[in-house]
Amino acid sequence: MKNRQIAGVILLTITVSACQNNQTPKDPKPEAAYLEKTPETEQITAGSDYLIENKTSHSFSDPAKKDAFFIGIKGKNLLDGKVVFTITSAEGKQLLKEEFDADYLLGYDFTGDIKSQKDTDAFIKKRMQSFFSEDKFSTPAIENDVVFEDQSYYIDKETWEGIKSDKQAIGFYYLLGSEDGRHIAFSKKKGKVVMYYNCC
């Protein structure tokens, strides 16, 4: 995203366990689930099923507060595992929960040997560690010079314009696979997280 202005202070924590086995990545197009439910943030303990995890606190749905961002992989090994990505508000409301296969973390910039566990594990760990890096956040979410593109299958123009007009709206970007780049923000109009741009 161009001309980004950084928002919030990011704290990263990462825990890693040993992994094994291989799998060839598939064409990435998992469905995201943008929720309005209100469960408590998932608690991660020493006895957790997660092989690796990363979490941070960052302003998102409310510029004055910090939401909890979490991503973790559970399963028998990193490449064959399942990724869980959640965002939970300061009040404990779950704003987003998305699950996808861990091999979606292998993108166009993976240059290692797909048959090498060492190479795939190292790349996935790197992606996990940088998933919430500060450059993935932007304020405002949508710059003044950006024009609405008809993407009615994930956002309508009124909702998009509402996010663009809010100069305190905070955007977050993440990439799945090589071409599924997702830009999300909290829509005050809808009271939930929405994807406002999706591209390669």
Side-chain angles (χ1 to χ4, degrees):
M1 185 178 304
K2 50 189 177 181
N3 300 324
R4 295 182 176 179
Q5 181 180 355
I6 305 305
V9 178
I10 192 164
L11 302 173
L12 298 177
T13 310
I14 196 155
T15 324
V16 182
S17 297
C19 322
Q20 59 184 4
N21 295 342
N22 303 300
Q23 178 176 314
T24 302
K26 302 180 285 294
D27 181 31
K29 273 297 175 184
E31 293 292 329
Y34 302 109
L35 307 181
E36 297 180 77
K37 298 189 294 186
T38 57
E40 295 298 319
T41 305
E42 185 172 10
Q43 297 298 311
I44 306 304
T45 66
S48 169
D49 292 332
Y50 290 97
L51 302 171
I52 182 173
E53 63 188 55
N54 185 5
K55 39 184 146 175
T56 189
S57 297
H58 200 288
S59 299
F60 183 65
S61 63
D62 184 340
K65 299 178 181 180
K66 299 292 180 69
D67 294 337
F69 285 70
F70 171 84
I71 187 169
I73 298 178
K74 54 185 177 182
K76 60 182 181 180
N77 60 70
L78 292 186
L79 190 60
D80 295 326
K82 183 72 69 176
V83 178
V84 178
F85 169 36
T86 64
I87 303 175
T88 306
S89 73
E91 292 74 30
K93 178 179 180 178
Q94 189 174 77
L95 305 175
L96 177 147
K97 182 176 183 181
E98 182 173 358
E99 296 188 10
F100 52 90
D101 293 338
D103 58 12
Y104 294 145
L105 294 174
L106 296 179
Y108 66 90
D109 50 345
F110 174 69
T111 58
D113 181 358
I114 191 62
K115 296 181 180 180
S116 167
Q117 177 187 336
K118 179 180 178 181
D119 289 356
T120 56
D121 281 4
F123 190 86
I124 289 173
K125 291 174 185 178
K126 181 180 177 182
R127 282 292 310 278
M128 289 285 291
Q129 190 169 21
S130 64
F131 202 83
F132 301 129
S133 60
E134 190 63 35
D135 62 352
K136 304 294 177 58
F137 295 88
S138 60
T139 306
I142 304 174
E143 298 286 352
N144 284 330
D145 59 347
V146 178
V147 179
F148 177 75
E149 297 180 9
D150 186 10
Q151 305 288 354
S152 57
Y153 67 95
Y154 60 81
I155 192 169
D156 60 86
K157 186 174 183 179
E158 185 178 357
T159 301
W160 187 91
E161 290 286 0
I163 295 171
K164 181 180 180 180
S165 65
D166 183 1
K167 301 310 175 185
Q168 290 188 306
I170 300 167
F172 177 71
Y173 168 78
Y174 59 106
L175 176 67
L176 301 183
S178 299
E179 299 182 346
D180 191 2
R182 302 181 177 192
H183 298 258
I184 60 175
F186 186 81
S187 167
K188 292 179 180 177
K189 176 180 180 296
K190 290 187 174 293
K192 65 177 183 177
V193 175
V194 298
M195 181 165 62
Y196 61 87
Y197 189 62
N198 183 217
C199 187
C200 45

